[in-house]
Amino acid sequence: MGAYILKRILLMIPTLLGIMLMTFAVIQFVPGGPVEQVIAKMQGTDTDSTGRISGNTGNEAGGNAQAQGAGGDSTAFKYRGAQGLDPEFIKDLERQFGFDKPAHERFLLMLGNYLTFDFGESYFRDRSVMSLIIEKMPVSISLGLWLTLVQYLVSIPLGIRKAVHDGSTFDIWTSTVIIIGYAIPSFIFAIMLIVLFAGGSYFTLFPLRGLTSDNFDQLSVFGKVADYAWHLALPLLALGIGSFATMTMLTKNSFLDEIRKQYVTTARAKGLTESQVLYGHVFRNAMLLVISGFPGAFLGAFFAGSLLIETVFSLDGLGYLTYKAALDRDYPIVFANLYIFTLVGLVVALVSDLMYTWIDPRIDFDRRDV
């Protein structure tokens, strides 16, 4: 097992390097970089997501620019978006953002800093990227961990019961409900919940924004837990409406496949009860497929799946932070989040494989090639 873990860790290096390199290369061709954003605002214009100059007025910017080892190319727009500005001033902006260095040098500098988790300074927020990530992380952790926990606690027992009672009335109506839930986009369902239960048009049973109330610090321990759960109820329900269906049906189908195998018939013939057969023999084998979906479920809830929910419920987490940074061309934040989530994804995938051996000791990864 030690050799397998070492191989997987060594494979993480080229995987992480490849993802960062491809993203960095793509960024070089994205128009409307941070230098152009500053120039456009100084000239009383603004840039849209395609890099074109629009007529929106803006305030003078650029004082917060810090030298970085990451980012896109700023040379393509010098003569289009910077007419009338001193070329030396433009070169000074490029030095502040770190664009005076060749692309390969900036990439190597970025990797060297990231090895020590030094993500530098945000281009436009006048703060370190690490402090921004730490500030926003509690929101994303709350959504990701609690959604994954609730999803497994609800979907696995429900899937087992559906497998045991396959074809029954209970199985049919629960399948109908979860399929309908799966078909509803999470952000549409979130808006429906707000309209119905958060003071939109009908009831005011849940808060509309944030993870805690304004008087959270004055509450008792029980009051803090209740307030925290009260704020999380609607976002978790909106996020989980689709994920429950996937996990429940995966659990049901996995158990059905195992229940129909010969060893289950043999166990029943030996006089074992249904509970002993189900949880003593079937459970370990059926749960292998369920566990294999854990990395995707965790990361999806932790980042990708929470972006729209964070926006709808005004939860300022990592998903929303990265989205805004991408629009603003704040590349240090974008690359730092990409690096962290890629690294977390690789580690979680390794942990998932190790859980295979814990559930089923017959699995030996040392006997197979990585």
Side-chain angles (χ1 to χ4, degrees), residues 227-255:
D227 182 76
Y228 181 65
W230 185 45
H231 283 76
L232 273 178
L234 293 188
L236 286 182
L237 185 58
L239 268 175
I241 188 68
S243 58
F244 286 136
T246 303
M247 184 60 62
T248 300
M249 299 308 295
L250 176 62
T251 303
K252 175 190 173 182
N253 293 332
S254 298
F255 271 80

PDB file of all heavy atoms in Angstrom, residues 227-255:
ATOM      1  N   ASP A 227     -29.259  29.094  14.982  1.00  0.00           N
ATOM      2  CA  ASP A 227     -29.196  30.193  14.021  1.00  0.00           C
ATOM      3  C   ASP A 227     -28.411  29.784  12.779  1.00  0.00           C
ATOM      4  O   ASP A 227     -28.796  30.112  11.648  1.00  0.00           O
ATOM      5  CB  ASP A 227     -28.536  31.399  14.684  1.00  0.00           C
ATOM      6  CG  ASP A 227     -28.479  32.614  13.778  1.00  0.00           C
ATOM      7  OD1 ASP A 227     -29.528  33.266  13.593  1.00  0.00           O
ATOM      8  OD2 ASP A 227     -27.393  32.892  13.236  1.00  0.00           O
ATOM      9  N   TYR A 228     -27.320  29.067  12.980  1.00  0.00           N
ATOM     10  CA  TYR A 228     -26.484  28.582  11.875  1.00  0.00           C
ATOM     11  C   TYR A 228     -27.283  27.622  10.988  1.00  0.00           C
ATOM     12  O   TYR A 228     -27.274  27.741   9.748  1.00  0.00           O
ATOM     13  CB  TYR A 228     -25.257  27.901  12.459  1.00  0.00           C
ATOM     14  CG  TYR A 228     -24.275  27.372  11.455  1.00  0.00           C
ATOM     15  CD1 TYR A 228     -23.581  28.214  10.603  1.00  0.00           C
ATOM     16  CD2 TYR A 228     -24.016  26.002  11.376  1.00  0.00           C
ATOM     17  CE1 TYR A 228     -22.657  27.716   9.696  1.00  0.00           C
ATOM     18  CE2 TYR A 228     -23.104  25.496  10.482  1.00  0.00           C
ATOM     19  CZ  TYR A 228     -22.424  26.358   9.638  1.00  0.00           C
ATOM     20  OH  TYR A 228     -21.526  25.853   8.733  1.00  0.00           O
ATOM     21  N   ALA A 229     -27.991  26.685  11.596  1.00  0.00           N
ATOM     22  CA  ALA A 229     -28.811  25.740  10.833  1.00  0.00           C
ATOM     23  C   ALA A 229     -29.960  26.447  10.125  1.00  0.00           C
ATOM     24  O   ALA A 229     -30.338  26.084   9.000  1.00  0.00           O
ATOM     25  CB  ALA A 229     -29.353  24.657  11.767  1.00  0.00           C
ATOM     26  N   TRP A 230     -30.527  27.457  10.771  1.00  0.00           N
ATOM     27  CA  TRP A 230     -31.624  28.232  10.203  1.00  0.00           C
ATOM     28  C   TRP A 230     -31.198  28.920   8.906  1.00  0.00           C
ATOM     29  O   TRP A 230     -31.920  28.937   7.912  1.00  0.00           O
ATOM     30  CB  TRP A 230     -32.084  29.254  11.247  1.00  0.00           C
ATOM     31  CG  TRP A 230     -33.290  30.070  10.879  1.00  0.00           C
ATOM     32  CD1 TRP A 230     -34.450  29.630  10.331  1.00  0.00           C
ATOM     33  CD2 TRP A 230     -33.436  31.477  11.068  1.00  0.00           C
ATOM     34  NE1 TRP A 230     -35.320  30.676  10.166  1.00  0.00           N
ATOM     35  CE2 TRP A 230     -34.722  31.827  10.615  1.00  0.00           C
ATOM     36  CE3 TRP A 230     -32.604  32.463  11.608  1.00  0.00           C
ATOM     37  CZ2 TRP A 230     -35.198  33.124  10.657  1.00  0.00           C
ATOM     38  CZ3 TRP A 230     -33.081  33.760  11.653  1.00  0.00           C
ATOM     39  CH2 TRP A 230     -34.366  34.085  11.175  1.00  0.00           C
ATOM     40  N   HIS A 231     -29.985  29.475   8.911  1.00  0.00           N
ATOM     41  CA  HIS A 231     -29.476  30.149   7.716  1.00  0.00           C
ATOM     42  C   HIS A 231     -29.060  29.162   6.627  1.00  0.00           C
ATOM     43  O   HIS A 231     -29.117  29.496   5.438  1.00  0.00           O
ATOM     44  CB  HIS A 231     -28.277  31.036   8.077  1.00  0.00           C
ATOM     45  CG  HIS A 231     -28.640  32.324   8.726  1.00  0.00           C
ATOM     46  ND1 HIS A 231     -29.042  32.407  10.052  1.00  0.00           N
ATOM     47  CD2 HIS A 231     -28.679  33.595   8.245  1.00  0.00           C
ATOM     48  CE1 HIS A 231     -29.296  33.676  10.357  1.00  0.00           C
ATOM     49  NE2 HIS A 231     -29.087  34.413   9.282  1.00  0.00           N
ATOM     50  N   LEU A 232     -28.629  27.966   7.019  1.00  0.00           N
ATOM     51  CA  LEU A 232     -28.158  26.988   6.033  1.00  0.00           C
ATOM     52  C   LEU A 232     -29.291  26.186   5.385  1.00  0.00           C
ATOM     53  O   LEU A 232     -29.084  25.570   4.339  1.00  0.00           O
ATOM     54  CB  LEU A 232     -27.188  25.999   6.690  1.00  0.00           C
ATOM     55  CG  LEU A 232     -25.717  26.379   6.751  1.00  0.00           C
ATOM     56  CD1 LEU A 232     -24.933  25.293   7.480  1.00  0.00           C
ATOM     57  CD2 LEU A 232     -25.140  26.585   5.356  1.00  0.00           C
ATOM     58  N   ALA A 233     -30.468  26.193   5.981  1.00  0.00           N
ATOM     59  CA  ALA A 233     -31.545  25.302   5.544  1.00  0.00           C
ATOM     60  C   ALA A 233     -31.880  25.474   4.067  1.00  0.00           C
ATOM     61  O   ALA A 233     -31.863  24.499   3.288  1.00  0.00           O
ATOM     62  CB  ALA A 233     -32.788  25.534   6.417  1.00  0.00           C
ATOM     63  N   LEU A 234     -32.199  26.689   3.646  1.00  0.00           N
ATOM     64  CA  LEU A 234     -32.613  26.908   2.255  1.00  0.00           C
ATOM     65  C   LEU A 234     -31.463  26.703   1.258  1.00  0.00           C
ATOM     66  O   LEU A 234     -31.671  26.054   0.222  1.00  0.00           O
ATOM     67  CB  LEU A 234     -33.221  28.298   2.103  1.00  0.00           C
ATOM     68  CG  LEU A 234     -34.551  28.546   2.821  1.00  0.00           C
ATOM     69  CD1 LEU A 234     -35.135  29.895   2.416  1.00  0.00           C
ATOM     70  CD2 LEU A 234     -35.552  27.440   2.537  1.00  0.00           C
ATOM     71  N   PRO A 235     -30.247  27.235   1.505  1.00  0.00           N
ATOM     72  CA  PRO A 235     -29.156  26.962   0.558  1.00  0.00           C
ATOM     73  C   PRO A 235     -28.848  25.476   0.399  1.00  0.00           C
ATOM     74  O   PRO A 235     -28.615  25.001  -0.715  1.00  0.00           O
ATOM     75  CB  PRO A 235     -27.962  27.713   1.171  1.00  0.00           C
ATOM     76  CG  PRO A 235     -28.575  28.798   1.973  1.00  0.00           C
ATOM     77  CD  PRO A 235     -29.844  28.220   2.530  1.00  0.00           C
ATOM     78  N   LEU A 236     -28.848  24.736   1.508  1.00  0.00           N
ATOM     79  CA  LEU A 236     -28.569  23.298   1.413  1.00  0.00           C
ATOM     80  C   LEU A 236     -29.674  22.567   0.657  1.00  0.00           C
ATOM     81  O   LEU A 236     -29.399  21.666  -0.144  1.00  0.00           O
ATOM     82  CB  LEU A 236     -28.401  22.699   2.812  1.00  0.00           C
ATOM     83  CG  LEU A 236     -27.108  23.025   3.551  1.00  0.00           C
ATOM     84  CD1 LEU A 236     -27.080  22.311   4.903  1.00  0.00           C
ATOM     85  CD2 LEU A 236     -25.900  22.629   2.722  1.00  0.00           C
ATOM     86  N   LEU A 237     -30.918  22.951   0.903  1.00  0.00           N
ATOM     87  CA  LEU A 237     -32.028  22.316   0.198  1.00  0.00           C
ATOM     88  C   LEU A 237     -31.954  22.596  -1.297  1.00  0.00           C
ATOM     89  O   LEU A 237     -32.174  21.706  -2.120  1.00  0.00           O
ATOM     90  CB  LEU A 237     -33.359  22.814   0.765  1.00  0.00           C
ATOM     91  CG  LEU A 237     -34.630  22.149   0.211  1.00  0.00           C
ATOM     92  CD1 LEU A 237     -34.591  20.650   0.432  1.00  0.00           C
ATOM     93  CD2 LEU A 237     -35.864  22.755   0.864  1.00  0.00           C
ATOM     94  N   ALA A 238     -31.611  23.829  -1.660  1.00  0.00           N
ATOM     95  CA  ALA A 238     -31.493  24.188  -3.074  1.00  0.00           C
ATOM     96  C   ALA A 238     -30.325  23.466  -3.736  1.00  0.00           C
ATOM     97  O   ALA A 238     -30.432  22.999  -4.884  1.00  0.00           O
ATOM     98  CB  ALA A 238     -31.329  25.700  -3.216  1.00  0.00           C
ATOM     99  N   LEU A 239     -29.196  23.354  -3.025  1.00  0.00           N
ATOM    100  CA  LEU A 239     -28.039  22.656  -3.573  1.00  0.00           C
ATOM    101  C   LEU A 239     -28.272  21.154  -3.695  1.00  0.00           C
ATOM    102  O   LEU A 239     -27.828  20.522  -4.649  1.00  0.00           O
ATOM    103  CB  LEU A 239     -26.811  22.902  -2.691  1.00  0.00           C
ATOM    104  CG  LEU A 239     -25.908  24.075  -3.030  1.00  0.00           C
ATOM    105  CD1 LEU A 239     -24.831  24.220  -1.965  1.00  0.00           C
ATOM    106  CD2 LEU A 239     -25.282  23.904  -4.400  1.00  0.00           C
ATOM    107  N   GLY A 240     -28.975  20.586  -2.719  1.00  0.00           N
ATOM    108  CA  GLY A 240     -29.096  19.131  -2.664  1.00  0.00           C
ATOM    109  C   GLY A 240     -30.221  18.551  -3.480  1.00  0.00           C
ATOM    110  O   GLY A 240     -30.302  17.329  -3.626  1.00  0.00           O
ATOM    111  N   ILE A 241     -31.089  19.377  -4.052  1.00  0.00           N
ATOM    112  CA  ILE A 241     -32.267  18.865  -4.740  1.00  0.00           C
ATOM    113  C   ILE A 241     -31.894  17.941  -5.896  1.00  0.00           C
ATOM    114  O   ILE A 241     -32.566  16.949  -6.156  1.00  0.00           O
ATOM    115  CB  ILE A 241     -33.147  20.050  -5.251  1.00  0.00           C
ATOM    116  CG1 ILE A 241     -34.476  19.524  -5.787  1.00  0.00           C
ATOM    117  CG2 ILE A 241     -32.408  20.858  -6.286  1.00  0.00           C
ATOM    118  CD1 ILE A 241     -35.377  18.945  -4.739  1.00  0.00           C
ATOM    119  N   GLY A 242     -30.811  18.230  -6.577  1.00  0.00           N
ATOM    120  CA  GLY A 242     -30.385  17.368  -7.676  1.00  0.00           C
ATOM    121  C   GLY A 242     -29.443  16.262  -7.242  1.00  0.00           C
ATOM    122  O   GLY A 242     -29.497  15.149  -7.772  1.00  0.00           O
ATOM    123  N   SER A 243     -28.581  16.541  -6.274  1.00  0.00           N
ATOM    124  CA  SER A 243     -27.590  15.556  -5.849  1.00  0.00           C
ATOM    125  C   SER A 243     -28.220  14.379  -5.125  1.00  0.00           C
ATOM    126  O   SER A 243     -27.684  13.264  -5.158  1.00  0.00           O
ATOM    127  CB  SER A 243     -26.545  16.225  -4.950  1.00  0.00           C
ATOM    128  OG  SER A 243     -27.147  16.812  -3.819  1.00  0.00           O
ATOM    129  N   PHE A 244     -29.356  14.595  -4.445  1.00  0.00           N
ATOM    130  CA  PHE A 244     -30.032  13.492  -3.776  1.00  0.00           C
ATOM    131  C   PHE A 244     -30.438  12.412  -4.773  1.00  0.00           C
ATOM    132  O   PHE A 244     -30.344  11.216  -4.495  1.00  0.00           O
ATOM    133  CB  PHE A 244     -31.271  13.991  -3.027  1.00  0.00           C
ATOM    134  CG  PHE A 244     -30.959  14.733  -1.769  1.00  0.00           C
ATOM    135  CD1 PHE A 244     -31.614  15.915  -1.463  1.00  0.00           C
ATOM    136  CD2 PHE A 244     -29.996  14.270  -0.889  1.00  0.00           C
ATOM    137  CE1 PHE A 244     -31.327  16.607  -0.295  1.00  0.00           C
ATOM    138  CE2 PHE A 244     -29.696  14.954   0.272  1.00  0.00           C
ATOM    139  CZ  PHE A 244     -30.365  16.127   0.574  1.00  0.00           C
ATOM    140  N   ALA A 245     -30.905  12.824  -5.936  1.00  0.00           N
ATOM    141  CA  ALA A 245     -31.362  11.863  -6.938  1.00  0.00           C
ATOM    142  C   ALA A 245     -30.215  10.986  -7.418  1.00  0.00           C
ATOM    143  O   ALA A 245     -30.338   9.760  -7.499  1.00  0.00           O
ATOM    144  CB  ALA A 245     -31.998  12.602  -8.112  1.00  0.00           C
ATOM    145  N   THR A 246     -29.090  11.606  -7.736  1.00  0.00           N
ATOM    146  CA  THR A 246     -27.942  10.844  -8.237  1.00  0.00           C
ATOM    147  C   THR A 246     -27.456   9.824  -7.221  1.00  0.00           C
ATOM    148  O   THR A 246     -27.265   8.642  -7.537  1.00  0.00           O
ATOM    149  CB  THR A 246     -26.800  11.807  -8.605  1.00  0.00           C
ATOM    150  OG1 THR A 246     -27.267  12.758  -9.561  1.00  0.00           O
ATOM    151  CG2 THR A 246     -25.614  11.050  -9.175  1.00  0.00           C
ATOM    152  N   MET A 247     -27.248  10.276  -5.986  1.00  0.00           N
ATOM    153  CA  MET A 247     -26.726   9.386  -4.961  1.00  0.00           C
ATOM    154  C   MET A 247     -27.732   8.291  -4.600  1.00  0.00           C
ATOM    155  O   MET A 247     -27.354   7.126  -4.384  1.00  0.00           O
ATOM    156  CB  MET A 247     -26.349  10.190  -3.717  1.00  0.00           C
ATOM    157  CG  MET A 247     -25.707   9.379  -2.613  1.00  0.00           C
ATOM    158  SD  MET A 247     -24.176   8.587  -3.154  1.00  0.00           S
ATOM    159  CE  MET A 247     -23.196  10.034  -3.546  1.00  0.00           C
ATOM    160  N   THR A 248     -29.026   8.629  -4.521  1.00  0.00           N
ATOM    161  CA  THR A 248     -30.044   7.641  -4.162  1.00  0.00           C
ATOM    162  C   THR A 248     -30.141   6.544  -5.214  1.00  0.00           C
ATOM    163  O   THR A 248     -30.164   5.348  -4.885  1.00  0.00           O
ATOM    164  CB  THR A 248     -31.417   8.324  -3.996  1.00  0.00           C
ATOM    165  OG1 THR A 248     -31.328   9.310  -2.962  1.00  0.00           O
ATOM    166  CG2 THR A 248     -32.478   7.302  -3.615  1.00  0.00           C
ATOM    167  N   MET A 249     -30.197   6.917  -6.487  1.00  0.00           N
ATOM    168  CA  MET A 249     -30.318   5.923  -7.550  1.00  0.00           C
ATOM    169  C   MET A 249     -29.052   5.089  -7.689  1.00  0.00           C
ATOM    170  O   MET A 249     -29.112   3.895  -7.985  1.00  0.00           O
ATOM    171  CB  MET A 249     -30.658   6.605  -8.871  1.00  0.00           C
ATOM    172  CG  MET A 249     -31.983   7.366  -8.861  1.00  0.00           C
ATOM    173  SD  MET A 249     -33.388   6.375  -8.270  1.00  0.00           S
ATOM    174  CE  MET A 249     -33.473   5.117  -9.552  1.00  0.00           C
ATOM    175  N   LEU A 250     -27.898   5.708  -7.452  1.00  0.00           N
ATOM    176  CA  LEU A 250     -26.649   4.944  -7.492  1.00  0.00           C
ATOM    177  C   LEU A 250     -26.625   3.898  -6.385  1.00  0.00           C
ATOM    178  O   LEU A 250     -26.238   2.741  -6.605  1.00  0.00           O
ATOM    179  CB  LEU A 250     -25.459   5.894  -7.356  1.00  0.00           C
ATOM    180  CG  LEU A 250     -24.075   5.242  -7.289  1.00  0.00           C
ATOM    181  CD1 LEU A 250     -23.781   4.482  -8.570  1.00  0.00           C
ATOM    182  CD2 LEU A 250     -22.994   6.297  -7.039  1.00  0.00           C
ATOM    183  N   THR A 251     -27.055   4.302  -5.180  1.00  0.00           N
ATOM    184  CA  THR A 251     -27.099   3.363  -4.057  1.00  0.00           C
ATOM    185  C   THR A 251     -28.088   2.238  -4.333  1.00  0.00           C
ATOM    186  O   THR A 251     -27.785   1.053  -4.118  1.00  0.00           O
ATOM    187  CB  THR A 251     -27.491   4.092  -2.769  1.00  0.00           C
ATOM    188  OG1 THR A 251     -26.567   5.157  -2.518  1.00  0.00           O
ATOM    189  CG2 THR A 251     -27.490   3.147  -1.581  1.00  0.00           C
ATOM    190  N   LYS A 252     -29.270   2.575  -4.825  1.00  0.00           N
ATOM    191  CA  LYS A 252     -30.281   1.558  -5.113  1.00  0.00           C
ATOM    192  C   LYS A 252     -29.778   0.553  -6.142  1.00  0.00           C
ATOM    193  O   LYS A 252     -29.873  -0.676  -5.941  1.00  0.00           O
ATOM    194  CB  LYS A 252     -31.559   2.224  -5.624  1.00  0.00           C
ATOM    195  CG  LYS A 252     -32.613   1.210  -6.059  1.00  0.00           C
ATOM    196  CD  LYS A 252     -33.766   1.855  -6.789  1.00  0.00           C
ATOM    197  CE  LYS A 252     -34.704   0.788  -7.356  1.00  0.00           C
ATOM    198  NZ  LYS A 252     -35.835   1.368  -8.115  1.00  0.00           N
ATOM    199  N   ASN A 253     -29.246   1.034  -7.243  1.00  0.00           N
ATOM    200  CA  ASN A 253     -28.793   0.132  -8.307  1.00  0.00           C
ATOM    201  C   ASN A 253     -27.621  -0.729  -7.860  1.00  0.00           C
ATOM    202  O   ASN A 253     -27.514  -1.904  -8.246  1.00  0.00           O
ATOM    203  CB  ASN A 253     -28.419   0.945  -9.545  1.00  0.00           C
ATOM    204  CG  ASN A 253     -29.617   1.609 -10.191  1.00  0.00           C
ATOM    205  OD1 ASN A 253     -30.737   1.114 -10.095  1.00  0.00           O
ATOM    206  ND2 ASN A 253     -29.397   2.741 -10.841  1.00  0.00           N
ATOM    207  N   SER A 254     -26.737  -0.163  -7.037  1.00  0.00           N
ATOM    208  CA  SER A 254     -25.601  -0.941  -6.530  1.00  0.00           C
ATOM    209  C   SER A 254     -26.084  -2.083  -5.637  1.00  0.00           C
ATOM    210  O   SER A 254     -25.606  -3.224  -5.744  1.00  0.00           O
ATOM    211  CB  SER A 254     -24.650  -0.041  -5.747  1.00  0.00           C
ATOM    212  OG  SER A 254     -24.105   0.961  -6.573  1.00  0.00           O
ATOM    213  N   PHE A 255     -27.052  -1.797  -4.771  1.00  0.00           N
ATOM    214  CA  PHE A 255     -27.574  -2.839  -3.893  1.00  0.00           C
ATOM    215  C   PHE A 255     -28.379  -3.874  -4.672  1.00  0.00           C
ATOM    216  O   PHE A 255     -28.329  -5.070  -4.363  1.00  0.00           O
ATOM    217  CB  PHE A 255     -28.430  -2.203  -2.793  1.00  0.00           C
ATOM    218  CG  PHE A 255     -27.649  -1.808  -1.578  1.00  0.00           C
ATOM    219  CD1 PHE A 255     -26.921  -0.629  -1.562  1.00  0.00           C
ATOM    220  CD2 PHE A 255     -27.612  -2.609  -0.454  1.00  0.00           C
ATOM    221  CE1 PHE A 255     -26.190  -0.253  -0.457  1.00  0.00           C
ATOM    222  CE2 PHE A 255     -26.893  -2.253   0.669  1.00  0.00           C
ATOM    223  CZ  PHE A 255     -26.171  -1.063   0.671  1.00  0.00           C
TER     224      PHE A 255
END
